[in-house]
Amino acid sequence: MNSTSLVFRPTWKKILLFLGPGVLLYSFMVIVPILGAFRQSLYTNFNFQFRFAGAQNYIQLLQDGDFWFSFRNNLIILGLSLVLQISLAFVIAVMMNSRLIKFAKFARAVMFFPVILSAVVVGFIWVLIYNVHWGLLNTLLEVVGLAGWQQLWLDNPNIVIYSITVPLMWQYLGLFLVVFLAGLSAIPSELLEAAEIDGANGFYKTLYVTLPLLVSTWRVVLILAISGAVKVFEQPYVMTRGGPGISSTVLAQYAYNMSFARFDLTYGSTVAVGMLVLSFTLIALTWLFMRYVVFRGKEF
């Protein structure tokens, strides 16, 4: 085939034709709002009179205890997601891929179903489950003789952040499961068969064969987990409105409260930019940890 074929050397006109609409849409939906939020964060708002303030809002943000408390709640959600949700999704994916679970396709569909539900619907469902008087959870504890474990699940400031994390893990477990299954399906079966011939059992096959070959998959999963934990909003808002007090307030709701409850649009934009910076920071720190601690300098 002629090496000058357009299949191998597309013209700039064709590149712009195919990529241009997507780039313009992405710029309009993502880049422009980010730049607009950053620009607005450089102003102060008093009675809707905007005045340039430079870094004043960011200095205030660094000293804002409520902002850092909200970030702490996001970190709790992220930590539980990494330790419980993603680990469980990986274990289930490995079991499904090795055919240890019967009716794996049906089970996968059932576990993925919550992902397609509206976050608002999920929040309302779990409000009913957590209801202190007739909710499913407290009723079940009473039926099995564990009435002493009954709690004010959404009204106790000491446990409410953990209570709202459970629905998040439940809803998005299926998403990480599907991502892991996609990664596992790309591993050649010959490698696993060779490991079996060498005497490796299921645990050692997973540890020394499956895990090293899922590096790119883990990268995607960690980015999704971090970004999802930082921008979470709907479920906590529906379930508690950030209460009691601010005990379950997360960063996205704090930005919402500043912008639309207190009508401080400039400081709300500052909080949103802070969320973006913290999200990128967490992703970078996770990448460094995985590459230089877990994989010891290997590509991640």
Side-chain angles (χ1 to χ4, degrees):
M1 182 179 293
N2 189 350
S3 60
T4 61
S5 172
L6 292 179
V7 174
F8 297 96
R9 294 185 179 181
T11 63
W12 282 106
K13 182 178 179 179
K14 290 187 178 294
I15 293 175
L16 292 176
L17 178 64
F18 286 103
L19 295 183
V23 172
L24 289 175
L25 182 62
Y26 180 81
S27 300
F28 178 75
M29 299 295 294
V30 179
I31 303 300
V32 173
I34 290 176
L35 294 177
F38 177 72
R39 178 180 179 274
Q40 195 163 337
S41 69
L42 301 177
Y43 289 78
T44 57
N45 175 24
F46 181 75
N47 291 333
F48 294 98
Q49 299 295 321
F50 295 93
R51 297 180 180 178
F52 184 78
Q56 177 180 330
N57 285 331
Y58 290 98
I59 295 173
Q60 180 182 346
L61 188 71
L62 293 175
Q63 300 171 349
D64 189 344
D66 290 345
F67 171 80
W68 293 111
F69 184 85
S70 301
F71 179 54
R72 168 238 183 210
N73 286 339
N74 286 90
L75 288 180
I76 291 175
I77 294 173
L78 175 60
L80 292 175
S81 174
L82 294 177
V83 174
L84 299 177
Q85 182 188 41
I86 294 178
S87 301
L88 181 60
F90 176 73
V91 171
I92 296 175
V94 171
M95 295 175 65
M96 285 185 173
N97 193 62
S98 60
R99 297 180 177 83
L100 292 177
I101 297 180
K102 295 183 178 180
F103 307 108
K105 292 183 179 180
F106 175 76
R108 180 176 57 190
V110 170
M111 296 185 69
F112 189 78
F113 176 73
V115 179
I116 66 176
L117 293 178
S118 166
V120 175
V121 172
V122 171
F124 277 121
I125 290 174
W126 281 86
V127 166
L128 299 178
I129 293 175
Y130 282 139
N131 186 277
V132 62
H133 299 294
W134 41 263
L136 177 62
L137 181 54
N138 277 350
T139 301
L140 182 61
L141 290 173
E142 184 175 2
V143 169
V144 299
L146 297 174
W149 289 19
Q150 292 177 335
Q151 297 285 338
L152 301 172
W153 299 103
L154 298 179
D155 298 307
N156 185 341
N158 296 320
I159 65 171
V160 64
I161 187 62
Y162 304 101
S163 298
I164 66 173
T165 302
V166 173
L168 291 168
M169 294 192 296
W170 172 77
Q171 182 174 12
Y172 295 109
L173 177 67
L175 174 64
F176 296 117
L177 173 66
V178 169
V179 174
F180 279 126
L181 285 173
L184 290 170
S185 66
I187 298 178
S189 59
E190 293 81 3
L191 295 177
L192 299 176
E193 293 172 358
E196 290 180 359
I197 294 174
D198 289 338
N201 57 25
F203 175 78
Y204 286 105
K205 280 195 302 181
T206 301
L207 184 62
Y208 294 109
V209 179
T210 303
L211 275 176
L213 294 176
L214 287 180
V215 172
S216 59
T217 302
W218 275 100
R219 187 189 304 121
V220 172
V221 167
L222 290 175
I223 291 175
L224 289 175
I226 294 171
S227 61
V230 173
K231 68 182 181 64
V232 63
F233 170 76
E234 295 93 338
Q235 294 90 338
Y237 183 79
V238 169
M239 297 175 70
T240 65
R241 297 295 195 276
I246 62 168
S247 55
S248 62
T249 301
V250 291
L251 287 175
Q253 185 177 345
Y254 189 61
Y256 173 86
N257 291 341
M258 291 295 104
S259 299
F260 303 109
R262 301 186 185 181
F263 297 103
D264 191 349
L265 300 177
T266 57
Y267 192 66
S269 297
T270 307
V271 175
V273 174
M275 288 175 55
L276 181 66
V277 172
L278 290 174
S279 180
F280 277 118
T281 302
L282 288 174
I283 291 174
L285 291 175
T286 302
W287 181 85
L288 291 172
F289 175 80
M290 295 297 293
R291 178 166 186 176
Y292 294 105
V293 177
V294 178
F295 293 97
R296 299 183 180 180
K298 297 179 181 179
E299 184 64 29
F300 176 72

